[in-house]
Amino acid sequence: MRASSGFRAATAAVGLSFAAALTLTACGSDTTGDGTLTVVASTNVWGSVAQAVAGDKVDVTSIITEPSSDPHSFEASPTDAAKLTDASLIVYNGGGYDHFVDDIIGTGNSDQLTVNAFDLLEGGAHAGEDEHSGGDSDGGDSHEGHDHGDVNEHVWFDVDTVDATAQSIADKLGQLDPDNADAYKANAATFHGQLEQISAITDGIAAAHKDAPVAQTEPIAYYLLQSAGLKDVTPPDFTSAIENGNDPAPAAIAATRQLLTGKQVQALVYNVQTQDRVTQDVRATAESAGIPVVEVTETLPEGLDYIQWQTNTAESLAAALQ
C-alpha cells in the first residue's frame, strides 16, 4: 500500500540521517576512482532510459530494481546514499515520487548534475533548475495531495516527458564526456524513434475509442489514458485513498464496484505493485463482470527495458478495448 503522509515524512528523515551519517565529501565527484563516469537512477525505469542514451560508454546503476518495491515509501540505505552522492549524473522521477533522492543529495554537492523528469513535464511547466537545488526547495513533498487531473507525478507514462528526459541525459553526459557527446545525442535520437512506436499505439486507441470510459485502482496511468484519449471515470475519493495508503470510504468502494458490475467501463487499469484487499476485490469484481484488466507496474518487469515495457502496456490497453 501507499505510504501515509506521516510515514513519508519519517522516511524522509531516515534518508537525511543516512546522508548525514555517511560523512560524505562536500563535493560529489564526476567520475569514479578509475575515471569512469557513473549514472545512478532512482528506479530501473529511469535507469533503462539512461542506459538507452549512455549505451556502452557509461555505467548505469538503479537504486530500486525489485518489482515489489514502492518508490513512494522506499527507505534508502547508506550504500544507496553513497552511490547517489558519488554519481557523475543522477536521473530520477521527481515530483515527490522518489523523494529519498532529494533528501540525500540535498545535503551534498550543490553542483552535482541531475535530471529530474518531473521538471521536464510539459516542456518545463513545473520545472525548477536542472540541478537538484531547483526541485522542491523546501525539501517537502509539494505535490502530495495534488489534484491528479491536473498534475500527476507518474511521468514515465508521458512519452513526451520521457523523450525530454532522454535528451537532457544526452546533454548532461555530453558535458561530462565531450568526446562522446555525438554518440549520446545519436542514442537519444534512436530512443526518440522508439518512443514514437508507443505513441502510434496510443494514437490508434484514441482514434478508435475516443472518450471510452475506464477505471483505475489508483491514478498511476493518468498520462497513458490521456494520450490514448480515454476517460477515467473512477471516483477520485477511491483512487486518492488507495494511492495514499488509506481505505476508501464505503461509498467510494460501492461506486467503483457499480462501475464494474454495471459494465459502465470498458477496462480496469490495475497496479499490481500496490494491491491490497480493497483493490483485489475490485479486480475480482471486474473479472466477474467480464471487464478486461490491464496490469501496470511502477518498476520494470524482469527482463524488459523501458521501450518493451511500455509497448506491452499500450498493446494490452488496446487489446482490452477491442
Side-chain angles (χ1 to χ4, degrees):
M1 291 178 63
R2 288 282 184 241
S4 65
S5 298
F7 185 76
R8 291 193 196 178
T11 300
V14 170
L16 287 169
S17 65
F18 277 145
L22 287 174
T23 318
L24 297 168
T25 59
C27 294
S29 59
D30 286 343
T31 61
T32 60
D34 62 1
T36 303
L37 291 177
T38 59
V39 175
V40 176
S42 60
T43 71
N44 59 5
V45 172
W46 298 111
S48 179
V49 175
Q51 192 68 72
V53 176
D56 60 0
K57 300 183 183 303
V58 181
D59 293 330
V60 178
T61 300
S62 300
I63 300 297
I64 300 176
T65 59
E66 292 297 324
S68 60
S69 296
D70 180 5
H72 281 92
S73 56
F74 180 77
E75 296 186 36
S77 69
T79 299
D80 297 328
K83 288 178 181 178
L84 287 164
T85 55
D86 289 342
S88 311
L89 174 66
I90 295 171
V91 182
Y92 66 120
N93 191 88
Y97 177 74
D98 40 14
H99 204 274
F100 69 92
V101 177
D102 284 314
D103 293 337
I104 292 169
I105 65 177
T107 63
N109 174 21
S110 62
D111 295 323
Q112 188 170 31
L113 290 179
T114 69
V115 175
N116 179 327
F118 185 82
D119 280 355
L120 299 172
L121 177 65
E122 297 177 357
H126 309 286
E129 299 295 328
D130 281 336
E131 279 65 41
H132 66 257
S133 60
D136 294 332
S137 58
D138 61 357
D141 184 350
S142 63
H143 304 288
E144 186 169 86
H146 60 64
D147 178 358
H148 287 279
D150 185 22
V151 176
N152 186 297
E153 73 269 26
H154 306 108
V155 294
W156 64 87
F157 279 110
D158 184 74
V159 170
D160 289 339
T161 299
V162 174
D163 189 25
T165 300
Q167 298 298 325
S168 184
I169 293 170
D171 291 342
K172 296 294 195 303
L173 289 177
Q175 294 177 35
L176 294 166
D177 180 17
D179 290 344
N180 290 305
D182 289 343
Y184 302 133
K185 290 180 180 179
N187 289 342
T190 298
F191 187 72
H192 170 83
Q194 295 170 330
L195 289 173
E196 288 185 332
Q197 298 171 20
I198 300 172
S199 294
I201 299 171
T202 55
D203 288 348
I205 296 173
H209 305 283
K210 181 67 175 175
D211 293 328
V214 297
Q216 294 193 85
T217 52
E218 59 183 285
I220 181 175
Y222 169 76
Y223 296 109
L224 173 63
L225 300 183
Q226 186 181 56
S227 64
L230 304 177
K231 186 176 181 179
D232 180 7
V233 297
T234 320
D237 288 348
F238 180 89
T239 53
S240 62
I242 294 297
E243 184 174 36
N244 289 321
N246 302 319
D247 288 335
I253 296 175
T256 302
R257 288 175 56 88
Q258 179 59 39
L259 290 174
L260 301 166
T261 58
K263 298 185 184 296
Q264 298 172 39
V265 295
Q266 296 185 23
L268 171 67
V269 179
Y270 186 83
N271 185 357
V272 298
Q273 276 184 252
T274 58
Q275 58 187 331
D276 59 15
R277 60 177 182 79
V278 174
T279 60
Q280 288 170 342
D281 176 71
V282 167
R283 178 174 187 156
T285 301
E287 292 173 340
S288 295
I291 303 296
V293 176
V294 179
E295 294 185 348
V296 293
T297 59
E298 301 186 47
T299 54
L300 294 180
E302 187 175 356
L304 298 182
D305 62 22
Y306 176 86
I307 296 296
Q308 294 166 331
W309 174 49
Q310 286 301 298
T311 297
N312 289 350
T313 301
E315 289 176 342
S316 295
L317 180 60
L321 296 168
Q322 295 302 318

